[in-house]
Amino acid sequence: MNQDVHKVRTFEHPGEGRRRAKATPKGRQVDPVAAEEVKQLLGDRPRRRDLLIEHLHLIQDTYKQISAAHLAALAEAMRLSFAEVFETATFYAHFDVVKEGEPDIPPLTIRVCDSLTCAMLGAETLLADLQSKSGPGIRVVRAPCVGRCDTAPAAEVGHNFVDHATVANVLAAAKAGETHAHPPAYIDYAAYIADGGYKLLRRLRSGETSKEDVLKALDDASLRGLGGAGFPTGRKWRAVLGEPGPRLMAVNGDEGEPGTFKDRYYLERDPHRFLEGTLIGAHIVEASDVYIYLRDEYPAAREILERELAKLPPDGPVLHMRRGAGAYICGEESSLLESIEGKRGLPRHKPPYPFQVGLFGQPTLINNVETLWWVRDLVEKGAAWWTAQGRNGRHGLRSYSVSGRVKNPGVKLAPAGVTVRQLIDEFCGGMADGHSFYAYLPGGASGGILPASMDDIPLDFGTLEKYGCFIGSAAIVILSQQDSVRGAALNLMRFFEDESCGQCTPCRVGTEKAVKLMERPVWNQQLLEQLGQAMRDASICGLGQAASNPLTSVIKYFPDEFKDAAE
């Protein structure tokens, strides 16, 4: 053995007379000013791990950013490691984390949506103009879909949305300090009660209406989950009830799919119909607590719910509001559960499924906002009423979020199975002036793209799959001859690249690679199809599995888009 090395080793051995260095605290030191500020913000709020994202929102709302000092102070207050707090804060787009040595973020942020419908209606030019004209103290950044596709282009000034945004009206809102959303008129608790609201819930709780009565109505009507997956609602409720208690319930109000805005529409107009459906579901599965997870892009809906929840009688399950923070992936049910628990929204591997091992490890019922919104009407009016609706051999009603090149975009309550041509002509006032129908997205960003020649397909569950598409949450985006479907597919793939959680390689690397290939003037179609197949086969969750649907649709159904490309 080398003698010098031996000497060093024996010198370092305890008892060799080494002088101990003065003890100093290890790790990041907490700034006392930041610690006091965090203490004042939290007040008497619990310091539980699952409230981490809520506490991060407090800091972000107060200081318009989150400094490293505040992160360290929050970590100490919650008895968490700095790494846990940092990785959670930096996962979500709406937390502006300022690292040590970086300049402060301007006090006002303007976000311009650049997802498909807004992009079609001029978002790129709007973003560039605002960035050049906004002036000091204002930061202008792009944002993914904000759920206002019917009033595109949309911009967010602070937490206030400007519809049909222009440079003039956005900067006017900023100058006037209009940075908070104002809820529209809606049916409040008193009005809802006066119209027979909560009678079904009272009958259910008293035993006048049995659990089986409700479940049979859901089964007979074949109500399916309206968030995108379409799983039979009655079967899901029975599955959760079949698991040993205690049980919980979570509401998925994180509709972030470009083109989708129906949940916001219902929450901002008739929130108690949704709340009654939620409480009925909780009673059926005997859930002690209900967690309502609402995307951060819906501040008006959040204010309405918080206001109306305070008016409910104190009986029944405990209702918790949870605020998203700008992560599309949290619309995936297991990612949503992770976020409610205060963590990064990384999808869980399945099985076990959430109805078996869900929120905080307990069996959990997860439903979409609109699914619950229909429960009261369906049970009170009966399954026969529901199944009597529909066209082209389909049954029920659908809330189609329609945007793009139509005269009257918006949420259209129409018979399930209506075709896109019927939807445009009968419910949207026809195509916008100067535009002719060219293509459409039948199911939002991940539902594929079809040509106008295929305008006779019933828009419903199970009708689009053979074409490589699906209805999803019924988000219909209409393109005209002025739009490029290749450009649309690239816009959607960029969205998926940004929103990938990064957990699995097929999605993380696949979306990035696809964007680079699709940005080229000539597409390598064979390579793109192989890449899409790998993503479908190997991604953990639906984001990566469905991200390639638009691109494969364009290759399959729009050969003319490639006709003039040089080989």
Side-chain angles (χ1 to χ4, degrees):
M1 179 183 291
N2 183 288
Q3 294 300 310
D4 290 336
V5 174
H6 178 71
K7 289 177 182 178
V8 170
R9 288 180 176 171
T10 56
F11 177 78
E12 290 183 348
H13 193 277
E16 291 292 323
R18 181 181 60 181
R19 297 180 65 184
R20 292 183 176 273
K22 183 178 179 181
T24 57
K26 293 183 178 181
R28 184 179 299 272
Q29 302 307 298
V30 176
D31 178 76
V33 175
E36 182 60 27
E37 289 171 342
V38 168
K39 178 181 178 181
Q40 292 299 320
L41 277 178
L42 298 186
D44 59 358
R45 293 177 175 86
R47 271 60 168 174
R48 299 194 316 269
R49 177 66 171 83
D50 63 288
L51 292 173
L52 173 57
I53 293 173
E54 296 296 305
H55 296 343
L56 287 168
H57 274 302
L58 287 173
I59 299 173
Q60 176 72 43
D61 290 346
T62 303
Y63 297 100
K64 313 306 178 188
Q65 63 181 30
I66 304 177
S67 68
H70 282 138
L71 283 179
L74 181 61
E76 182 179 74
M78 298 187 69
R79 299 182 180 276
L80 298 171
S81 70
F82 181 84
E84 287 179 278
V85 177
F86 180 82
E87 71 178 11
T88 300
T90 53
F91 180 85
Y92 295 93
H94 288 188
F95 294 141
D96 296 316
V97 178
V98 179
K99 300 174 184 177
E100 290 179 351
E102 292 182 344
D104 286 346
I105 291 171
L108 178 62
T109 294
I110 295 174
R111 289 183 166 88
V112 178
C113 175
D114 70 349
S115 288
L116 183 56
T117 305
C118 286
M120 290 163 57
L121 295 173
E124 183 178 348
T125 300
L126 176 64
L127 175 64
D129 289 347
L130 284 171
Q131 287 174 334
S132 65
K133 298 176 182 179
S134 58
I138 298 177
R139 178 182 64 149
V140 181
V141 298
R142 57 169 296 278
C145 187
V146 296
R148 308 187 82 84
C149 315
D150 53 333
T151 56
E156 185 182 13
V157 180
H159 281 298
N160 179 41
F161 286 93
V162 178
D163 296 327
H164 304 294
T166 64
V167 173
N169 61 20
V170 170
L171 292 183
K175 183 178 180 180
E178 297 173 359
T179 58
H180 292 87
H182 300 289
Y186 66 91
I187 300 171
D188 65 5
Y189 180 73
Y192 186 72
I193 289 289
D195 191 40
Y198 291 109
K199 284 185 179 179
L200 174 59
L201 178 64
R202 289 196 294 270
R203 292 200 304 269
L204 181 63
R205 287 176 172 174
S206 69
E208 182 180 349
T209 297
S210 69
K211 290 183 179 181
E212 186 56 35
D213 291 335
V214 174
L215 290 169
K216 187 176 186 304
L218 297 179
D219 290 339
D220 291 347
S222 299
L223 179 66
R224 300 177 69 165
L226 299 173
F231 193 84
T233 304
R235 192 192 308 173
K236 177 182 283 191
W237 289 19
R238 291 180 189 276
V240 176
L241 186 59
E243 294 293 315
R247 308 177 193 92
L248 298 172
M249 181 176 181
V251 176
N252 189 343
D254 196 60
E255 59 171 4
E257 183 89 355
T260 306
F261 46 91
K262 62 184 177 59
D263 290 353
R264 174 182 61 82
Y265 177 88
Y266 287 121
L267 289 175
E268 291 181 353
R269 286 161 177 77
D270 196 356
H272 284 281
R273 196 171 299 269
F274 152 70
L275 289 174
E276 183 169 11
T278 299
L279 292 171
I280 288 170
H283 182 87
I284 295 292
V285 303
E286 300 169 8
S288 60
D289 293 78
V290 177
Y291 291 80
I292 302 173
Y293 188 95
L294 187 65
R295 68 183 309 214
D296 198 31
E297 290 86 349
Y298 290 173
R302 184 172 65 251
E303 182 176 334
I304 289 170
L305 286 175
E306 289 174 345
R307 185 187 300 169
E308 297 305 309
L309 284 172
K311 300 176 183 178
L312 293 178
D315 52 351
V318 179
L319 298 173
H320 309 266
M321 284 291 298
R322 286 291 185 269
R323 181 177 170 186
Y328 166 72
I329 190 64
C330 291
E332 193 275 334
E333 61 178 8
S334 65
S335 301
L336 176 141
L337 298 179
E338 291 288 298
S339 191
I340 292 175
E341 292 179 3
K343 297 177 286 189
R344 294 175 294 166
L346 301 179
R348 298 175 180 177
H349 290 275
K350 303 172 185 176
Y353 296 94
F355 80 89
Q356 301 165 313
V357 181
L359 192 57
F360 307 119
Q362 298 181 7
T364 303
L365 173 64
I366 307 175
N367 277 130
N368 164 261
V369 168
E370 193 202 352
T371 308
L372 297 166
W373 194 91
W374 281 113
V375 169
R376 174 194 165 189
D377 279 355
L378 198 149
V379 177
E380 289 185 341
K381 295 179 181 180
W385 163 78
W386 180 262
T387 56
Q389 318 292 327
R391 289 190 191 178
N392 301 311
R394 315 304 295 180
H395 301 287
L397 294 168
R398 292 288 177 272
S399 302
Y400 297 96
S401 302
V402 186
S403 64
R405 308 296 190 177
V406 293
K407 284 185 179 178
N408 302 312
V411 174
K412 309 298 178 180
L413 184 60
V418 68
T419 68
V420 69
R421 179 65 71 178
Q422 293 168 335
L423 199 59
I424 293 171
D425 293 342
E426 298 178 34
F427 295 88
C428 299
M431 293 293 293
D433 293 338
H435 294 269
S436 59
F437 184 29
Y438 177 58
Y440 67 107
L441 278 66
S446 56
I449 305 177
L450 294 173
S453 60
M454 299 174 66
D455 63 354
D456 58 349
I457 304 171
L459 298 175
D460 197 15
F461 296 111
T463 61
L464 293 154
E465 282 76 2
K466 64 182 178 181
Y467 306 106
C469 301
F470 55 81
I471 188 68
S473 58
I476 315 296
V477 183
I478 307 299
L479 284 69
S480 79
Q481 83 286 358
Q482 297 186 20
D483 304 306
S484 162
V485 293
R486 285 183 60 183
L490 175 57
N491 177 283
L492 299 172
M493 189 59 74
R494 284 173 174 157
F495 170 82
F496 290 123
E497 179 191 16
D498 287 346
E499 296 298 329
S500 173
C501 74
Q503 181 180 192
C504 71
T505 302
C507 178
R508 181 184 68 251
V509 177
T511 52
E512 180 184 7
K513 180 67 174 178
V515 165
K516 291 178 179 177
L517 290 171
M518 294 167 73
E519 287 175 337
R520 297 177 180 177
V522 179
W523 283 12
N524 185 332
Q525 297 182 35
Q526 182 178 8
L527 181 57
L528 281 168
E529 289 178 331
Q530 291 173 348
L531 183 60
Q533 189 63 52
M535 292 165 62
R536 287 191 292 274
D537 290 344
S539 295
I540 291 175
C541 79
L543 190 156
Q545 293 164 9
S548 64
N549 286 344
L551 102 82
T552 54
S553 296
V554 170
I555 292 173
K556 182 177 182 180
Y557 296 114
F558 296 90
D560 288 348
E561 292 270 336
F562 306 95
K563 187 166 53 178
D564 298 329
E567 293 297 328

